Amino acid sequence: MEQILEKDPHNALALYGRARSLDSLAEVERSNARLEQSIFAYRAVLDLEDQVDDHLYHKSALRCIDRMRFRGFHGKAIRIQQRLVARFPNDIEYQNQLAIGFLLTNQPEAARTILEGVLNRWPQSGFAQVHLGFILKTTYDDYDAGARWMMAGIASREEGVIDGRFYSHLGDALTRLGRHEEAQRIYADGEKEGVFRSHDQRSLYNVDRLTAQPWWDKEATTYGPFFDLLEANWRQIRNEGVALLTLETPEGFANESEKLRDSGDWKQFELFAQGRKNAAHCTKAPVTCTLIENYPPALCKRGQVKFSIMHPGTHVWPHTGPTNCRLRAHLGLVVPSGAKLRVGNTTKSWEEGKFIVFDDSFDHEVWHNGSSYRLVLIVDLWHPELTTDEWQSLAPI
Ligand code: LMR
Ligand code: MN
């Protein structure tokens, strides 16, 4: 092969052969340097442009993109995708994949432009429809157009469209448009298609065998002694939380960032995330953090510990958390009347110095119609049926 290249440096097959062998070597040696050599070698094939046939061009480009993504070169991968689109302008697949490339690199505007172009030429592409709808809903807050596109895309049943993310954002868009019955039908369809555990338990990162119920008795969680201990210390926890309220942002409470609010003012002060302590924040709430730190089930890699303050006039849209692997416990710290939490079909209120425990993978919604702020400590704990081996092996969220 190297001999061929010496005589004929533009021999496409030989260049491809060199790329393949560097590619295999990189895997054997687990070497990034070698991997990058193989990436350059694949690109050398593409640089031959007209001198390489479509089949080889396609093969080299796809492997080149795959290896670039593996190496974390997402921007470079997009430029190869753009070359594919330029060479094969009539192939819808390359354009849809380019849009996904833009989405993966957090460039929804660019993805939108590509998808709109696709839909001009191929109005029936369900794949382009769901993704355009998703972008209009999540980036542009255009619930009406977002819902229309996602609905059309799902109806196509094309590969890739029967996906929990689309069902969930479609239902949410309809809810926000006040079309509650349609939203419920979408969630029921999602259950039927198996993208949700049930119409009202819509988390997407799940362990299937776990007991699922919206509300939990403190004792049934097996974490009773921990709840008792924090309840016994609730005044100190409250004092730490209240003292934090006078801090100026950015040190202080941060606005809820997931666009869950319909109206009002809702902020959080994070102490632990993904099982890890926020050291800077914990120096400002040492008693609370020590209580948490000494209790391994509360160092949940799929959850957080945080103070949550909600002001009067707040409504949080119905939503579900990302995973069924945690239970969410709220310790009431400052609880005026007029604030309430619905999980599934049951609505409850907080009590100062007492925990309530729910599973936030179920549909839940919050209102505060009172006249002064509500403060709670939120503690996520591993679902009691997970093993400590699973605590280790589950990917953090
Ligand atoms: C939630 O977990 O979505 C809310 O219950 C949080 C809060 O502060 O009430
Ligand atoms: Mn929530």
Side-chain angles (χ1 to χ4, degrees):
M1 184 176 65
E2 294 300 328
Q3 279 168 1
I4 302 177
L5 284 171
E6 216 163 282
K7 286 199 204 102
D8 177 8
H10 298 306
N11 185 301
L13 263 178
L15 282 172
Y16 180 74
R18 174 191 275 167
R20 292 287 324 175
S21 65
L22 289 165
D23 194 342
S24 314
L25 265 184
E27 276 182 27
V28 176
E29 296 174 2
R30 298 167 168 274
S31 154
N32 274 340
R34 198 67 85 190
L35 178 58
E36 286 165 25
Q37 289 171 351
S38 86
I39 287 171
F40 286 124
Y42 284 118
R43 209 166 46 190
V45 178
L46 308 181
D47 287 341
L48 295 173
E49 301 288 354
D50 294 347
Q51 298 166 58
V52 49
D53 66 72
D54 283 353
H55 179 69
L56 193 58
Y57 192 94
H58 164 92
K59 238 178 19 180
S60 302
L62 290 194
R63 186 66 187 166
C64 189
I65 290 165
D66 179 82
R67 294 295 80 193
M68 284 172 160
R69 285 192 176 155
F70 182 78
R71 183 69 189 85
F73 295 164
H74 295 287
K76 284 191 167 58
I78 284 181
R79 282 191 291 281
I80 304 298
Q81 290 183 300
Q82 286 168 319
R83 291 171 68 167
L84 276 171
V85 169
R87 177 157 174 147
F88 304 105
N90 297 321
D91 198 323
I92 181 176
E93 188 62 23
Y94 292 133
Q95 301 192 38
N96 277 335
Q97 285 310 318
L98 175 58
I100 299 301
F102 282 128
L103 269 180
L104 289 175
T105 51
N106 205 11
Q107 302 179 76
E109 309 84 355
R112 173 186 183 169
T113 305
I114 299 291
L115 293 168
E116 285 174 343
V118 168
L119 287 165
N120 265 327
R121 275 187 71 184
W122 296 279
Q124 302 306 326
S125 169
F127 189 91
Q129 289 170 334
V130 279
H131 284 90
L132 178 61
F134 177 87
I135 293 168
L136 292 176
K137 191 269 183 184
T138 56
T139 302
Y140 296 89
D141 299 336
D142 185 342
Y143 303 127
D144 190 53
R148 254 184 295 124
W149 284 117
M150 282 190 279
M151 223 179 277
I154 287 172
S156 78
R157 303 198 63 84
E158 259 176 38
E159 196 178 323
V161 306
I162 307 298
D163 181 310
R165 286 166 305 171
F166 303 129
Y167 280 82
S168 143
H169 280 288
L170 170 54
D172 187 45
L174 293 168
T175 300
R176 293 176 188 219
L177 291 164
R179 293 155 62 177
H180 298 282
E181 279 169 25
E182 281 171 275
Q184 289 313 310
R185 272 204 297 280
I186 294 300
Y187 293 147
D189 287 351
E191 174 178 342
K192 242 186 307 174
E193 297 292 346
V195 300
F196 299 138
R197 288 172 53 83
S198 78
H199 68 100
D200 65 352
Q201 191 187 25
R202 299 189 300 276
S203 49
L204 298 179
Y205 299 88
N206 301 314
V207 168
D208 273 332
R209 67 172 195 283
L210 302 181
T211 298
Q213 63 195 36
W215 289 98
W216 284 68
D217 283 337
K218 279 185 270 198
E219 300 314 316
T221 64
T222 71
Y223 303 138
F226 169 76
F227 294 134
D228 291 343
L229 179 65
L230 268 70
E231 287 180 356
N233 288 282
W234 83 272
R235 285 193 170 78
Q236 264 183 298
I237 297 171
R238 176 200 58 196
N239 293 348
E240 287 189 337
V242 168
L244 290 168
L245 294 173
T246 57
L247 289 179
E248 294 294 326
T249 43
E251 288 123 72
F253 280 72
N255 260 317
E256 174 276 325
S257 59
E258 293 173 70
K259 295 189 181 174
L260 297 177
R261 252 173 317 153
D262 173 16
S263 61
D265 185 353
W266 172 28
K267 292 192 174 70
Q268 304 183 331
F269 187 91
E270 201 166 83
L271 301 175
F272 292 79
Q274 298 190 339
R276 284 196 308 267
K277 171 157 113 172
N278 180 329
H281 281 186
C282 274
T283 57
K284 302 194 168 86
V287 173
T288 309
C289 285
T290 302
L291 286 164
I292 299 294
E293 224 168 357
N294 288 330
Y295 197 65
L299 300 174
C300 171
K301 279 196 299 179
R302 292 196 156 187
Q304 304 105 46
V305 176
K306 54 199 179 185
F307 289 105
S308 173
I309 183 164
M310 192 174 283
H311 291 278
T314 302
H315 172 226
V316 179
W317 289 114
H319 65 284
T320 59
T323 177
N324 76 337
C325 293
R326 69 189 189 205
L327 298 181
R328 179 156 278 197
H330 281 192
L331 176 61
L333 299 174
V334 179
V335 183
S337 62
K340 59 188 186 192
L341 165 65
R342 175 185 64 77
V343 187
N345 295 324
T346 307
T347 300
K348 295 191 184 180
S349 236
W350 299 263
E351 230 181 281
E352 290 183 356
K354 296 279 173 243
F355 268 106
I356 52 175
V357 186
F358 64 103
D359 179 339
D360 82 325
S361 63
F362 281 86
D363 190 86
H364 60 284
E365 182 172 12
V366 196
W367 300 262
H368 187 358
N369 301 317
S371 51
S372 59
Y373 73 76
R374 180 228 64 175
L375 181 68
V376 300
L377 178 72
I378 298 179
V379 183
D380 291 334
L381 298 119
W382 286 113
H383 189 292
E385 289 158 8
L386 288 169
T387 65
T388 49
D389 282 342
E390 286 170 312
W391 297 1
Q392 299 301 322
S393 62
L394 287 166
I397 295 179

